[in-house]
């Protein structure tokens, strides 16, 4: 018997991750209904899907009720501002999409008897006191600090997801996404990858915050999306970290960006933003075991593709 084509709904489909996820789903035979209100997403990220009969787009704020005809098999909830300067500028929208938006997306999944996945984040660990971070760690978040709007919205989203799972038996998945990079990141979203790469390409000073001793671990977008796809298709309903465990300081990262872009930029130091996590590195034991997944794109290779993309944008 011929397998029926699955239908996926992707909220935040015009965003960095949402658009890459949409591409992967279409490539794997899904019909995708993308929803985005373009607050931080861009039509450029999905323009190539125009005219594709397996992609339909709805411009909508997902905090409003989502009406959709026809069957839906999977709901992927990716809508949210996601960079520190975006959610500093949009704290209420960030809280609303994480709470009301997750509520609407879960309601849709329940009504359609679809499987639901929410895009959570390493930010739920706050400024972590356990290193690297396993899923069992409960985190160290300043609820009322500048990052609180994002961190708490995502923590609420996880709690609501588990409540729908337990109370309504919705099939749910929670992915905790660590720092990710690649083409389609917004040049001016303030995150370290677009910031350093665009500064280096323009031979402008590269702005390291604090002393640059804080660490991050960067995952290339194709690795991340593959991990998330495997999680959705698995039968595991507790949170799973997806990220690349190769950790480095922001000073080392700045030096590497200058080197690989062949830039004449020098490094300058700017004040460290409040509550900037001092260290971050995923423990991916669970993803390796449950999903048979681990990152395969080395930083040097991922950066080449990312820099190529930014060259067309600066
Ligand atoms: N950062 C930096 N210079 C910049 C932008 C960011 O040194 O121009 C640092 C920032 O302080 C943080 C790290 O890079 O320690 C990653 O920041 P990003 O905004 O990308 O995301 P975060 O991991 O903090 O959510």
């Amino acid at each position: 018997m011929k397998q029926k084509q699955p239908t996926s709904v992707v909220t935040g489909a015009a965003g960095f991750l949402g658009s890459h996820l949409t591409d992967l789903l279409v490539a794997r035979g899904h019909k995708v209904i993308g929803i985005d209100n373009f607050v931080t997403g861009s039509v450029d990220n999905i323009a190539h899907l125009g005219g594709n009969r397996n992609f339909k787009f709805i411009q909508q704020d997902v905090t409003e009720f989502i009406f959709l005809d026809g069957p839906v098999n999977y709901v992927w909830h990716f809508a949210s501002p996601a960079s520190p300067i975006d959610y500093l500028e949009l704290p209420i929208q960030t809280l609303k999409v994480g709470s009301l938006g997750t509520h609407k997306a879960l309601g849709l999944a329940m009504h359609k008897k679809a499987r639901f996945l929410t895009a959570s984040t390493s930010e739920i660990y706050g400024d972590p006191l356990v290193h690297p971070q396993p899923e069992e760690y409960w985190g160290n978040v300043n609820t009322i600090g500048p990052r609180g709007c994002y961190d708490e919205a995502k923590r609420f989203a996880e709690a609501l997801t588990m409540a729908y799972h337990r109370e309504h038996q919705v099939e749910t998945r929670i992915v905790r996404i660590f720092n990710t990079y690649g083409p389609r990141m917004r040049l001016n979203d303030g995150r370290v990858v677009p910031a350093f790469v665009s500064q280096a390409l323009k031979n402008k000073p590269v702005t390291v915050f604090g002393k640059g001793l804080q660490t991050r671990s960067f995952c290339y977008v194709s690795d991340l999306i593959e991990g998330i796809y495997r999680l959705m298709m698995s039968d595991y309903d507790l949170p799973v970290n997806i990220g690349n465990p190769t950790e480095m300081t922001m000073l080392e990262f700045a030096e590497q960006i200058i080197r690989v872009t062949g830039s004449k930029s020098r490094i300058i130091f700017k004040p460290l933003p409040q509550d900037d996590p001092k260290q971050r590195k995923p423990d991916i034991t669970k993803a390796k075991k449950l999903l048979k997944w681990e990152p395969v794109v080395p930083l040097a290779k991922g950066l080449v593709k990312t820099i190529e993309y930014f060259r067309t944008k600066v």
Side-chain angles (χ1 to χ4, degrees), residues 211-250:
K211 294 193 173 106
L213 299 179
Q214 69 275 32
T215 67
R216 294 293 186 274
S217 314
F218 297 101
C219 186
Y220 189 64
V221 64
S222 59
D223 278 339
L224 184 97
I225 299 296
E226 178 63 37
I228 291 173
Y229 180 84
R230 289 192 196 184
L231 175 61
M232 179 66 115
M233 299 308 158
S234 78
D235 57 7
Y236 191 72
D237 49 39
L238 295 177
V240 177
N241 290 336
I242 299 284
N244 188 319
T246 310
E247 183 185 14
M248 71 193 65
T249 68
M250 291 308 94

Side-chain angles (χ1 to χ4, degrees), residues 34 59 71 87 94 100 112 118-119 158 201 206 208 210 215 252 269:
Q59 184 168 348
Y87 51 76
T94 302
L100 305 178
K112 300 286 187 187
T118 198
E158 289 198 6
L201 289 176
V206 170
V208 169
T215 67
E252 286 166 343
F269 294 90

